Amino acid sequence: MNFKDIPAHENVKRQLRDMVADGRVPHALLLHGPAGSGKFMLARVFAQYLHCEHPTSDGEPCGTCPACIQHQTFNHVDTLFVYPVVKTEKLKEPVSDDYIEEFRDFITSSPYMDFDKWASSFEKKNAQPIIYVYESAGLERRLAVSATASKYKIVIMWLPEKMNEQAANKLLKLIEEPYPGTIFILVSNDASAILPTIKSRCRPVEVTRLDDATVAEYLTRRLAMDPQDAMASAHIAGGDINAALRTVDATSVSRMFFDYFVQLMRLAYQRDVKGLKQWSADITSMGREQEVKFYEY
């Protein structure tokens, strides 16, 4: 991924490039703004740009050096991801690495980082993922080891506002007294919920909401939607691509349920027993969650 692959936010991209060009990369950076605006993608590309061995003249990662290839598969040895997770019976002291494969899949399927989708991916229902103190303790051990493949060891933390108090206090110490060559990139949907002492030690970069046209273009390109329908969904979403995608999904599900309902009425009217049995089998094959939604519909 390159900066140019991320819609909008040209001012933020310029700021990030200028930090590198001026040799003034802060040891703690806070990308903050509304959900669904693409902040995490900006963080990922910035980390790749910092590690890239042959950045292009127009301020992009080259995409072909070993560092870039490792970033594209989320396997760069000097890039650490921190994100909210869930305690289970088997994982009493969970850390991000316990869920790294699931997180890689999530980043790929939901590049705009839909937190609700991430929370629902855990087996524990109604889970409220947070960043626990065990994370900060483990992070300190890992950062004590110098970068091995590049100049910087980069920590990308998604949703620092989800840290519990103990984790936040430990992170504060790491930011106040950073290990040499360490860069923290915090990606927040709600900067006001971050511990003020942490926020004050980060260089803030605001990422504003996307305009409706940008969201609509994304929906049209990704889902092959009719431009007029895409614009209507974008307007409802208020600049949040994740909300726009949920709107489209809800509309599609409602249409599907309506079609099934009409089919049921026709089969019942015709007293088509064979057809009714097949209809019942089709509903059952949806899976329990969708089946319940249908009967609620």
Side-chain angles (χ1 to χ4, degrees), residues 16-152:
L16 297 176
R17 290 185 176 113
D18 287 349
M19 291 177 192
V20 179
D22 297 340
R24 295 183 178 180
V25 179
H27 76 277
L29 181 68
L30 173 61
L31 294 174
H32 66 97
S37 56
K39 301 182 298 296
F40 196 80
M41 288 192 291
L42 289 165
R44 284 174 49 200
V45 176
F46 185 51
Q48 181 177 338
Y49 188 50
L50 287 169
H51 283 153
C52 179
E53 299 170 19
H54 309 291
T56 65
S57 58
D58 58 346
E60 296 283 3
C62 72
T64 57
C65 70
C68 283
I69 292 172
Q70 290 168 18
H71 268 280
Q72 289 160 12
T73 56
F74 314 110
N75 282 307
H76 193 278
V77 66
D78 291 326
T79 302
L80 309 178
F81 291 103
V82 176
Y83 40 89
V85 294
V86 169
K87 283 185 179 181
T88 66
E89 288 299 318
K90 294 181 180 179
L91 289 173
K92 301 292 187 181
E93 299 182 356
V95 295
S96 297
D97 276 358
D98 292 325
Y99 294 96
I100 188 62
E101 292 303 324
E102 293 86 347
F103 192 67
R104 287 170 180 155
D105 291 341
F106 169 66
I107 294 173
T108 302
S109 65
S110 184
Y112 281 85
M113 309 300 284
D114 186 339
F115 178 74
D116 290 341
K117 184 176 180 180
W118 174 242
S120 67
S121 70
F122 295 93
E123 292 182 5
K124 186 177 180 180
K125 299 306 177 185
N126 300 316
Q128 292 298 319
I130 65 173
I131 299 173
Y132 295 95
V133 66
Y134 327 113
E135 190 78 62
S136 296
L139 189 59
E140 184 173 12
R141 291 192 297 270
R142 297 176 71 181
L143 293 178
V145 180
S146 300
T148 58
S150 56
K151 180 179 178 181
Y152 300 111

Side-chain angles (χ1 to χ4, degrees), residues 206-249:
E206 182 179 8
V207 181
T208 57
R209 60 152 283 179
L210 296 170
D211 60 69
D212 291 352
T214 298
V215 176
E217 193 279 331
Y218 178 85
L219 295 176
T220 302
R221 175 168 42 85
R222 175 168 175 171
L223 305 177
M225 285 183 67
D226 175 82
Q228 189 171 355
D229 291 342
M231 182 58 78
S233 296
H235 183 68
I236 294 171
D240 181 344
I241 280 186
N242 292 323
L245 291 171
R246 287 194 293 270
T247 299
V248 173
D249 287 344

Side-chain angles (χ1 to χ4, degrees), residues 144-287:
V145 180
S146 300
T148 58
S150 56
K151 180 179 178 181
Y152 300 111
K153 180 163 281 190
I154 301 175
V155 178
I156 301 179
M157 178 177 286
W158 180 47
L159 303 184
E161 60 267 30
K162 298 292 183 181
M163 285 187 289
N164 64 16
E165 184 178 356
Q166 298 94 328
N169 287 328
K170 278 188 172 291
L171 178 68
L172 174 60
K173 181 180 178 181
L174 290 174
I175 292 178
E176 284 181 327
E177 304 172 8
Y179 288 96
T182 298
I183 296 175
F184 289 90
I185 306 176
L186 278 56
V187 183
S188 172
N189 292 344
D190 183 9
S192 66
I194 300 173
L195 190 70
T197 45
I198 289 179
K199 189 165 58 173
S200 68
R201 286 162 175 77
C202 297
R203 175 169 172 178
V205 175
E206 182 179 8
V207 181
T208 57
R209 60 152 283 179
L210 296 170
D211 60 69
D212 291 352
T214 298
V215 176
E217 193 279 331
Y218 178 85
L219 295 176
T220 302
R221 175 168 42 85
R222 175 168 175 171
L223 305 177
M225 285 183 67
D226 175 82
Q228 189 171 355
D229 291 342
M231 182 58 78
S233 296
H235 183 68
I236 294 171
D240 181 344
I241 280 186
N242 292 323
L245 291 171
R246 287 194 293 270
T247 299
V248 173
D249 287 344
T251 301
S252 299
V253 169
S254 295
R255 286 174 179 169
M256 178 185 70
F257 286 169
F258 178 75
D259 290 343
Y260 270 114
F261 177 75
V262 171
Q263 184 185 18
L264 173 62
M265 293 300 100
R266 287 174 178 168
L267 291 170
Y269 179 77
Q270 297 167 0
R271 298 184 180 180
D272 184 346
V273 176
K274 183 178 179 180
L276 286 168
K277 288 181 178 179
Q278 182 59 53
W279 181 93
S280 179
D282 291 342
I283 292 295
T284 303
S285 68
M286 289 180 179

